[in-house]
């Protein structure tokens, strides 16, 4: 479990392609290695991966074919900066939102605009993702916990202050770049329950008309 509060920007040291579209990544970093152990979870650009080996300056993680296919990892190369976050500890402040590190899909950056002390980003994605989002709700973009500023059919607008931008890889992002998206976990469960029912087969009877009829 993660919070979406980035701890460090690391660098891809190397990427070794495997058969069947898998890969092994070596990430150069420092802070997230302070208390690392084999088998620990570290989110790279919002994707939860397992530490398979490490030194004082880097760690290695395996990436499965499905992860490569459903994330922005195919666009990474040696030297690429990446957002890093260790799994949350039980004795720390919970400053972001519930982030699982299981990416729901990718989106395309379509606008970057400076407004006063904020920078607006428009990201375009499949409507199946925006259906699980809500105005002023939470979203993780490249592993960064953000609040949805505006929501349209297939587009989300987020606004970031300089502090957030400077501590992440967003200064390297441009219009046309592909980014990882994770919808809010609670919103996903509610959406599935309302549209598929508790068994995943039958639609739920908990509809707006049902709630209105019963005084909600």
């Amino acid at each position: 479990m993660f919070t979406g509060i980035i701890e460090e920007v690391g660098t891809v040291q190397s990427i070794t392609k495997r058969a069947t579209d898998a890969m092994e990544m070596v990430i150069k970093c420092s802070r997230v290695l302070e208390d690392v152990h084999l088998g620990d979870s570290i989110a790279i650009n919002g994707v939860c991966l397992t530490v398979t080996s490490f030194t004082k300056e880097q760690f290695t993680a395996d990436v499965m074919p499905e992860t490569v296919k459903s994330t922005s990892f195919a666009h990474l190369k040696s030297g690429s900066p990446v957002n890093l976050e260790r799994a949350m500890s039980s004795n720390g402040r919970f400053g972001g939102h519930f982030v699982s590190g299981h990416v729901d899909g990718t989106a395309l950056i379509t606008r970057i605009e400076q407004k006063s002390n904020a920078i607006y980003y428009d990201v375009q994605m499949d409507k199946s993702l925006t259906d699980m989002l809500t105005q002023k709700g939470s979203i993780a973009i490249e592993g960064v916990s953000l609040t949805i500023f505006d929501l349209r059919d297939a587009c989300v607008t987020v606004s970031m202050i300089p502090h957030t931008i400077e501590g992440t890889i967003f200064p390297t992002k441009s219009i046309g770049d592909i980014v990882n998206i994770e919808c809010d976990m609670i919103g996903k469960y509610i959406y599935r329950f309302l549209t598929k029912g508790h068994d995943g087969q039958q639609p739920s009877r908990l509809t707006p008309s049902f709630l209105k009829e019963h005084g909600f």
Side-chain angles (χ1 to χ4, degrees):
M1 185 69 68
F2 304 89
T3 66
I5 305 299
I6 303 304
E7 296 184 278
E8 179 182 5
V9 173
T11 304
V12 176
Q13 190 83 348
S14 66
I15 295 178
T16 303
K17 299 290 180 67
R18 304 297 189 191
T20 66
D21 298 325
M23 64 170 63
E24 180 186 78
M25 286 201 298
V26 178
I27 307 297
K28 184 178 180 181
C29 52
S30 58
R31 184 175 180 182
V32 299
L33 298 175
E34 290 173 356
D35 57 355
V36 71
H37 299 86
L38 286 179
D40 280 358
S41 295
I42 296 179
I44 302 175
N45 286 355
V47 181
C48 177
L49 294 178
T50 300
V51 175
T52 58
S53 67
F54 65 91
T55 68
K56 293 181 178 180
E57 299 180 342
Q58 61 188 37
F59 73 92
T60 302
D62 290 322
V63 186
M64 298 182 294
E66 179 59 31
T67 303
V68 176
K69 183 173 66 174
S70 59
T71 69
S72 63
F73 278 179
H75 301 275
L76 293 177
K77 58 186 179 180
S78 179
S80 293
V82 288
N83 290 328
L84 300 175
E85 182 191 356
R86 289 169 290 187
M88 63 183 294
S89 60
S90 59
N91 62 346
R93 286 190 173 89
F94 189 10
H97 73 279
F98 290 115
V99 178
S100 67
H102 302 157
V103 169
D104 294 303
T106 58
L108 180 74
I109 297 177
T110 57
R111 178 178 70 120
I112 302 175
E113 182 179 353
Q114 178 91 42
K115 285 195 176 182
S116 186
N117 70 333
I119 297 183
Y120 290 1
Y121 287 80
D122 281 357
V123 290
Q124 188 171 359
M125 63 193 75
D126 193 273
K127 191 175 182 298
S128 63
L129 297 181
T130 56
D131 281 346
M132 295 186 287
L133 301 172
T134 185
Q135 189 87 2
K136 306 302 181 184
S138 298
I139 188 172
I141 302 179
E142 294 288 80
V144 182
S145 174
L146 297 166
T147 300
I148 296 170
F149 180 74
D150 190 29
L151 177 64
R152 298 178 292 284
D153 278 350
C155 184
V156 170
T157 300
V158 295
S159 175
M160 282 182 271
I161 60 173
H163 176 79
T164 300
I165 294 172
E166 290 164 6
T168 69
I169 63 173
F170 275 98
T172 69
K173 295 297 181 183
S174 304
I175 292 174
D177 283 353
I178 302 295
V179 291
N180 292 323
I181 299 294
E182 182 183 335
C183 302
D184 180 52
M185 185 187 303
I186 297 173
K188 286 191 289 187
Y189 278 109
I190 293 173
Y191 177 79
R192 179 167 179 79
F193 179 77
L194 291 177
T195 58
K196 300 294 185 181
H198 68 279
D199 59 359
Q201 301 297 324
Q202 299 296 324
S204 172
R205 293 188 297 115
L206 189 62
T207 62
S209 59
F210 176 89
L211 293 173
K212 185 176 181 181
E213 181 181 345
H214 289 80
F216 291 92

